[in-house]
Amino acid sequence: MKNYIHGRWTKSHSSDKLNVTDPGTQEKLWEVPLGNRDDVDSAVKSAFGAADIWRNTPATARIQYLFKLKGLLEDNREEISRVCTMECGKTLAESRAEMQRAIENVEVACGIPVLMQSEFSEDIAVGIDEFIIRQPVGVSACIAPFNFPIMIPFWFLPYAIACGNTYIVKPSEKVPKTMQMLFELIDQLDLPEGVVNLVHGGREAVDSILDHPNIKAVSFVGSSKVARYVYERAARNGKRVQAQGGAKNPVLVLPDSDMEITTKIINDSVYGCAGQRCLAASTIIPVGDHKRVFTEAIVEAAKTRVTGYGLEAQTEMGALISRESKARTEHLIQKGLDDGATMLLDGRKAKISGYEKGNYVKPTILENVNPDGDLNRTEIFGPVMGIIHVNNIEDAIKLVNENNYGNAACIFTSNGSYARKFRNEANAGNIGINIGIAAPMAFFPFSGWNDSFFGDLHGQGKHAVEFFTQTKVVIERWPKEWTRKF
Ligand code: NAD
């Protein structure tokens, strides 16, 4: 596997390599180089060199490359989705869906000429006008997680380049081939050399990005611990940073919600992508007196979900990314039991016929989870639902707001005033009302609060335009008497 620097596939300067394995079989797929400072430096040199040409290319011309990219993404959807499934473990349908989200972000970024429009005030004083212009920030970079290898870099990349920045992508070393394939499409765009670059790697590549004086803006998505580290280190180095972290998303279920639809949606939210989604529901909080009805319905829904290899047509839930991830999930389940929870559905010791070595955990449900225990306090990132019953909506919202994270919070109800109260009072950046995965469309910012986000401006939509541009206020005087007659 190679880096893509200055419009060419380039061998890494590093001899360190990592084996990439298929999470569903544990078989080795390929090797990825763990890029070093020299690799990042080459990418930055190239991006820095291309910055002037690119920012002086009119926005209307820049977006023509994105129109072409949209077509290439659509034409290659299937092939890239297959590779994504192989290295990430998710189902093919899930890979296709994230491909769709990536395409939608390209589409929104095609609107940059409008989104970057300036604000203008004429005659703020006699003969004086004032206006704002937006200019690119310069070389920018993104550091991505494993769980959405296609979609997440596209929360940033299309906006960055449409706004006139040059760009570097550092994908997760666990799923590098998917981004390599996307760069094979980018290579076909005939962009000026250096506008977009790819550097494979892990920690050294990240630190080199965070320290490089010529990188002006960094977008990060990953676990909260690393997000905080990235935020602090990049900010200390004077960069603009947006760092999206982990999550622990609560879902309230009120007795007036439609139990059949609600349990189906919650089931998809908890177990989609095997729980490895930053918006996945994790703690379910039934409110009031419908304990039995809810728990029986949700166990029935979860039991029927077919766990298996991602490329098999019948599979509804794939494997966890690694052995460590599986062990960690099972450890947290045990901690939950030790802290007093009751097991309603045990997905440990999952054996998938033909894929015995894969990192599978089947849907798991624990009831009466200790709110202060590790299972409720820690991001699991696995197919585990913890249920905590409460008596009223005030207690439920209190529980939501005791959570250190704040990525998403959802409520299921048919009562508008409860929904409104929740929307106002829940401390989370993405709110779902009768929605299980509160994922904003590409023209809305992907929000997130507390330990789920460090920074100000989020990815996607107008926030991305703000993040990737800096404003200049121009105050201009043209006295009438300077108008010469010809
Ligand atoms: P991760 O934090 O382990 O890795 C993310 C990136 O950081 C990778 O590119 C990796 O190479 C790099 N990295 C890892 N450890 C590092 C270190 N010590 N120093 C410097 N760089 C390091 O995250 P992951 O396991 O790949 O992804 C899962 C996490 O991402 C979950 O916590 C999930 O909630 C979060 N996530 C958040 C969002 C969001 O929008 N908030 C979206 C997707 C995933």
Side-chain angles (χ1 to χ4, degrees):
M1 219 167 287
K2 287 186 171 159
N3 294 329
Y4 183 82
I5 294 170
H6 209 61
R8 281 186 282 283
W9 292 105
T10 310
K11 202 167 169 291
S12 171
H13 290 92
S14 160
S15 51
D16 286 352
K17 286 193 172 58
L18 186 78
N19 288 339
V20 178
T21 50
D22 181 332
T25 62
Q26 273 302 325
E27 276 163 22
K28 179 179 165 183
L29 292 169
W30 30 74
E31 285 177 347
V32 62
L34 293 175
N36 59 20
R37 280 189 187 266
D38 291 339
D39 292 315
V40 170
D41 202 43
S42 308
V44 179
K45 260 196 198 100
S46 165
F48 192 70
D52 261 1
I53 303 173
W54 189 240
R55 64 168 274 193
N56 289 314
T57 303
T60 47
R62 293 197 297 256
I63 60 167
Q64 298 313 313
Y65 294 95
L66 293 181
F67 282 115
K68 193 169 166 194
L69 180 59
K70 170 178 152 64
L72 286 169
L73 291 170
E74 283 166 344
D75 293 347
N76 292 275
R77 191 192 299 253
E78 213 45 37
E79 212 184 327
I80 294 176
S81 298
R82 277 186 79 77
V83 170
C84 176
T85 286
M86 283 169 75
E87 56 181 14
C88 194
K90 59 177 65 177
T91 68
L92 205 45
E94 288 164 347
S95 295
R96 289 181 188 130
E98 65 161 310
M99 195 78 186
Q100 180 56 31
R101 282 286 167 141
I103 293 168
E104 286 164 10
N105 274 286
V106 173
E107 288 167 353
V108 174
C110 285
I112 287 294
V114 175
L115 294 170
M116 275 181 81
Q117 253 172 10
S118 70
E119 294 158 38
F120 192 97
S121 289
E122 203 171 48
D123 286 326
I124 52 152
V126 178
I128 300 181
D129 305 329
E130 188 162 328
F131 54 95
I132 291 175
I133 52 176
R134 289 192 172 276
Q135 298 189 324
V137 287
V139 179
S140 309
C142 96
I143 301 160
F146 80 82
N147 65 326
F148 284 99
I150 305 169
M151 174 184 77
I152 286 179
F154 278 77
W155 285 347
F156 315 110
L157 183 150
Y159 303 96
I161 62 170
C163 288
N165 303 277
T166 52
Y167 211 60
I168 297 166
V169 178
K170 203 297 285 171
S172 165
E173 63 276 35
K174 292 175 187 160
V175 290
K177 177 96 172 182
T178 305
M179 191 42 66
Q180 174 122 341
M181 290 182 81
L182 289 160
F183 265 76
E184 278 159 16
L185 304 184
I186 287 173
D187 185 43
Q188 294 175 38
L189 299 179
D190 290 327
L191 280 159
E193 288 157 351
V195 171
V196 190
N197 302 273
L198 165 70
V199 177
H200 289 295
R203 194 171 178 156
E204 184 175 345
V206 171
D207 285 346
S208 313
I209 289 171
L210 304 180
D211 293 343
H212 203 295
N214 285 342
I215 294 183
K216 298 296 176 201
V218 175
S219 305
F220 171 88
V221 182
S223 55
S224 288
K225 197 169 155 225
V226 186
R228 186 187 286 276
Y229 166 79
V230 165
Y231 182 73
E232 288 177 357
R233 188 159 173 162
R236 204 166 41 241
N237 287 327
K239 299 183 200 318
R240 198 173 268 207
V241 204
Q242 47 184 193
Q244 299 184 208
K248 183 84 191 168
N249 305 309
V251 177
L252 272 57
V253 183
L254 270 53
D256 57 14
S257 49
D258 180 309
M259 221 33 77
E260 197 186 330
I261 295 174
T262 302
T263 46
K264 185 185 173 313
I265 297 175
I266 290 179
N267 188 43
D268 285 342
S269 172
V270 178
Y271 303 118
C273 296
Q276 299 173 115
R277 262 195 300 205
C278 65
L279 293 174
S282 181
T283 305
I284 312 300
I285 310 172
V287 183
D289 198 17
H290 64 310
K291 284 185 189 174
R292 286 275 304 280
V293 187
F294 174 76
T295 49
E296 281 171 12
I298 198 75
V299 170
E300 276 316 301
K303 256 201 237 167
T304 59
R305 184 160 282 256
V306 181
T307 307
Y309 187 61
L311 289 178
E312 304 272 7
Q314 76 279 8
T315 298
E316 293 173 328
M317 189 174 92
L320 293 176
I321 188 71
S322 62
R323 282 205 174 120
E324 295 72 35
S325 196
K326 175 175 154 80
R328 192 175 159 280
T329 302
E330 292 179 343
H331 168 74
L332 281 165
I333 294 172
Q334 189 54 48
K335 277 290 288 166
L337 293 172
D338 295 346
D339 284 340
T342 315
M343 183 67 88
L344 295 185
L345 187 63
D346 191 352
R348 297 172 295 177
K349 302 197 177 76
K351 284 273 170 290
I352 307 300
S353 172
Y355 301 99
E356 285 76 7
K357 290 193 180 147
N359 314 317
Y360 298 98
V361 175
K362 286 190 176 178
T364 299
I365 303 180
L366 293 102
E367 194 183 23
N368 297 326
V369 167
N370 178 351
D372 299 322
D374 284 353
L375 186 77
N376 188 51
R377 292 277 169 212
T378 320
E379 178 179 43
I380 305 170
F381 231 50
V384 182
M385 179 189 305
I387 300 176
I388 303 178
H389 296 282
V390 299
N391 291 328
N392 54 54
I393 188 149
E394 282 75 21
D395 287 352
I397 293 177
K398 186 164 172 281
L399 200 55
V400 168
N401 291 346
E402 279 168 4
N403 184 338
N404 288 340
Y405 295 100
N407 218 30
C410 301
I411 186 169
F412 284 82
T413 180
S414 55
N415 182 316
S417 69
Y418 282 137
R420 185 170 191 272
K421 178 180 172 66
F422 182 76
R423 171 184 101 198
N424 278 333
E425 296 178 17
N427 290 340
N430 302 292
I431 298 290
I433 295 173
N434 299 322
I435 296 282
I437 293 287
M441 292 296 286
F443 39 92
F444 281 94
F446 191 104
S447 296
W449 285 15
N450 305 335
D451 285 355
S452 296
F453 182 71
F454 303 90
D456 307 288
L457 295 164
H458 299 268
Q460 296 197 149
K462 282 188 196 157
H463 274 221
V465 178
E466 297 236 338
F467 184 78
F468 287 115
T469 54
Q470 47 196 342
T471 51
K472 220 176 230 179
V473 178
V474 182
I475 309 165
E476 207 174 77
R477 185 201 307 272
W478 293 112
K480 273 207 180 96
E481 49 276 23
W482 289 9
T483 314
R484 300 236 166 98
K485 289 216 167 64
F486 293 101

